[in-house]
Amino acid sequence: MTLRELVGLLESLGVTALAPLGERFDPALHQAILHEPAAGFEAGTVAEVYRKGYTYKDRLLRPAFVKVASEGSPGTADGGADVQ
């Protein structure tokens, strides 16, 4: 209940949360922590959000920490290349 009231107050003052899951990666709003192949996501899109970001009246307060999908098969960490 307290969290709901706090979020409502912040939104009324112009603070909005960024939840970019599935959106195209934007370095102005997101900080990429990890680039990794992800099933069901196109390369260059946000595959996972580790920490929400926030804006205040269209100014960035805190970037969202995200995992960005890269090309390659999801089962390999090296993007699908054979390692010998």
Side-chain angles (χ1 to χ4, degrees), residues 15-72:
V15 175
T16 56
L18 300 174
L21 184 64
E23 295 178 5
R24 195 90 181 129
F25 175 72
D26 181 0
L29 298 174
H30 314 133
Q31 184 170 350
I33 302 178
L34 186 64
H35 289 268
E36 182 174 85
F41 291 96
E42 186 179 314
T45 59
V46 175
E48 192 171 343
V49 179
Y50 293 107
R51 187 179 82 178
K52 286 184 189 178
Y54 293 92
T55 59
Y56 172 68
K57 296 183 181 179
D58 298 328
R59 291 187 62 195
L60 185 65
L61 290 177
R62 180 174 87 173
F65 282 10
V66 299
K67 174 172 87 172
V68 181
S70 63
E71 293 186 24

